[in-house]
Amino acid sequence: MAGSNQPLNPNDSKMVVPLNMWVLISNFKLAYNLLRRPDGTFNRDLAEFLDRKVPANANPVDGVFSFDVIVDRETNLLTRIYRPVEGDENHVNIVDLEKPVTAEVLPVLVFFHGGSFAHSSANSAIYDTLCRRLVGICNAVVVSVNYRRAPENRYPCAYEDGWKALKWVSTRTWLQSKKDNKVHIYMVGDSSGGNIVHHVALKALDSEIQVLGNILLNPLFGGEERTESEKRLDGRYFVRVKDRDWYWRAFLPEGEDRDHHACNPFGPKGRSLEGVTFPKSLVVVAGLDLVQDWQLGYAKGLEKAGQNVKLLFLEQATIGFYLLPNNEHFSLVMDEIKQFVNFDCS
Amino acid sequence: MEIEIDSVSSPSKVKEIDGLLADVGYKVKSSELHQVAQNIERLENVIVNSSSSDISQFASDTIHYDPSDIGNWVDNLLSEFDHTNSLPYDFSQLSDLAQDQHHHHHHHHHQNHQLKVVTTVEEDSAIKLIHMLMTCADSLQRGNIQLAGSLIEGMQGLLTNMNTNSGIGKVAGYFIDALNRRIFGQNNIIHIENDVLYHHYYEACPYLKFAHFTANQAILEAFNGHDCVHVIDFNLMHGLQWPALIQALALRPGGPPFLRLTGIGPPSHDDRDNLREIGLRLAELARSVNVRFAFRGVAAWRLEDVKPWMLQVSSKEAVAVNSIMQLHRLLGSEPDPNNPSAIETVLGWIRSLNPKIMTVVEQEANHNEDGFMDRFTEALHYYSTVFDSLEACPVEPDKAMAEIYLQREICNVVCCEGPARVERHEPLIKWRERLGKTGFRPLHLGSNAFKQASMLLTLFSAEGYCVEENQGSLTLGWHSRPLIAASAWQAVPETLRFDH
């Protein structure tokens, strides 16, 4: 307990992010602190109470409308679908919600929100806003998956939900691009969502489903070893190592350590991706994120296995930089994402 | 406790709220960012110097309010923390349900309203059906009765090949029926008393239970420390809400108050006096748990016909006004520049009673648009979701009766116009605006009410019901769609209110 009683110096983080972003992320940090219990349980009621949620809206706002679909009744797996309006409509009929896509090529982004496997939902305001932005930037349909969370639902629930959602998306005829009558799927995720992207892509390997690309924003990876970045940045930019440890304990099967392949995919218990047709990957790493060594290690692991990976290292970025658009990292990353998913569009 | 005098919502005030934070669900004034940041740091230091188990216990025990107001939330935690760490007792820190008046500025709302859709249809015939429904409603709006009529025939034909026992077939059936009535004015009304249907609706799904439960919680807290309390129920029905409150008051530390209940309801036909009968039953219950109780029934066809003197409120009483899905019925009066509207009149006399609390529960829907198409579309979405949730109910005849209860609402929304249309549901956003303008300020429902409402829901086997916090109010919905909203209010004292 001794280490945790050091006062956190807020000056570090305040210097590198705009004030409103500092307030936003600090507010989350504070709230999350109240929710994690030392015995590994989670105050879910208070978490749901504190989380700011927004309903779907089939009336377009800034050219985007959304609606929720239950993809699997048994587990109540919900996805929120965001679509761009076509033309000048400001009114969308219920019939139009699943109207077939008219574009020659339309990217469909299957999105997994972050929250370290325990926090947030598809209808959390921060993620609803982010998904809407992605629609506009990429001219894509975004499908945000409301996967089951830890600690109530440990590994592999989130991956199974992701896989179900991916399968569902791939079989929607109304999402097919006109060019080849196929659904052009990319997977995007931040934090735990990034981790889920990797593992769902693994599941897809043994199937007919083709994922055109993976986009991982500050993905959550880890391992038993304490890396240099974890030691150097512990507690300095909103996150402490012990917080990360708590979330892994909450997500991984009981008794497993952080070298479990879910946490450490290129570690001692990981799966080799050599010779495998893995989707091309865009990995975004924030230079002030304490788990960056693991994220960089992930990108290297892909590279070593001969996979197509682009690494975007943002030196002065912190966790959550993509939640608000008022920083240069945001625009940079969004541009990269746009190029990444429009690569095969003429 | 300081009361913030924040009277006018002018455009310059709107700009004060940080727009980017508003986009992600938070209300913080740009000018206050520094202060809020400082307080966050203070709270962080406090937390870092406590043990983790203390912190999580503290978080559980504290009642949290309106998390979208970060500044207030942090302040509240700071003062609660100071409190629990036994600083000298400071009267200015008395925790009180009443909060400062907040104006919620919607500077980012370009759209007229939100259209919330959960789950869309897959089958071809269902899609066709919905298409025809929308086209029919549209032709009605344009006055093309012939086309509308033939579409109705077409839809009825489609229905014969569909499953009308559940899902879209069932809901569509009710809407087709309503459209039919609107055009041809049929009168084959089912003769079941509304209060009987209401009772079955109460049993079949958790919406009314949630409404009663949440309102009672708030009323109980408001009545703390008062020996004479008076509840005015705007729609007594079978008095289902009150046994729980009576029992809670009986168990109150320090003993129960003297409880008066005034129940408003329609006059009974035949020789019965329904109101009095309910009152007698409640009096029996109160007697059995040693709560001094008095009941008075006020018979009126419409709420706007009730005059405050009929309620016989005494100045020594703490008054709670309880309105479960009644206020929206007042929105249909003809606008008359010389006379206040029904809603203004009623809200006016409520204020004059100076109630300790007014609990308001309303359908979270926008069924009061003038345009028929808008209303029809909204209602189709809303009731589809409600019926979807009803399918989880296994109990008969509750479910069948609940469906008839809802069908009546649907008919009113779709078929009626003018004063006859009483189901003029409006969402929380609009009620906040209206109540704010007529001199009420919100009393926030906190995390304790939220937790207990969530626990109530776990008693229902159907997973899918969802309680959400919405800036001090609580909503209950099906999956991600809020369907009913509960809020609490207090009248702003006259001297502190600037009329504009």
Side-chain angles (χ1 to χ4, degrees), chain B residues 238-256:
Chain B
H238 292 177
L240 295 169
Q241 182 171 351
W242 307 118
L245 182 70
I246 293 172
Q247 279 159 341
L249 287 171
L251 295 172
R252 188 170 87 156

Side-chain angles (χ1 to χ4, degrees), chain B residues 265-304:
Chain B
S268 329
H269 20 257
D270 50 46
D271 295 325
R272 303 172 55 196
D273 184 347
N274 290 330
L275 291 172
R276 188 164 170 274
E277 279 178 27
I278 306 293
L280 282 173
R281 272 196 262 147
L282 290 171
E284 260 303 309
L285 170 68
R287 193 193 354 252
S288 73
V289 292
N290 291 320
V291 174
R292 292 162 294 146
F293 179 80
F295 175 83
R296 183 184 177 77
V298 172
W301 282 115
R302 306 175 312 165
L303 201 50
E304 52 257 56

Side-chain angles (χ1 to χ4, degrees), chain B residues 406-470:
Chain B
L406 291 168
Q407 185 190 13
R408 281 198 185 166
E409 269 185 26
I410 293 172
C411 266
N412 191 275
V413 176
V414 172
C415 309
C416 301
E417 294 295 345
R421 179 153 53 91
V422 291
E423 300 296 348
R424 292 177 178 264
H425 314 145
E426 287 191 347
L428 203 46
I429 271 177
K430 284 199 177 159
W431 283 111
R432 283 208 182 105
E433 210 184 294
R434 178 176 283 112
L435 289 169
K437 279 201 195 119
T438 39
F440 289 90
R441 67 176 174 214
L443 293 176
H444 289 156
L445 303 173
S447 53
N448 53 342
F450 179 90
K451 184 152 71 166
Q452 290 177 317
S454 299
M455 286 200 310
L456 172 75
L457 284 183
T458 60
L459 297 176
F460 289 85
S461 49
E463 262 198 53
Y465 289 107
C466 192
V467 183
E468 280 181 19
E469 194 281 343
N470 184 330

Side-chain angles (χ1 to χ4, degrees), chain A residues 14 52 57-58 68 98 129, chain B residues 23 41 115 119-120 469 480:
Chain A
K14 257 192 180 166
R52 308 291 81 210
N57 190 356
D68 293 340
E98 292 185 3
T129 299
Chain B
D23 283 343
E41 280 166 9
L115 188 52
T119 294
T120 52
E469 194 281 343
S480 52

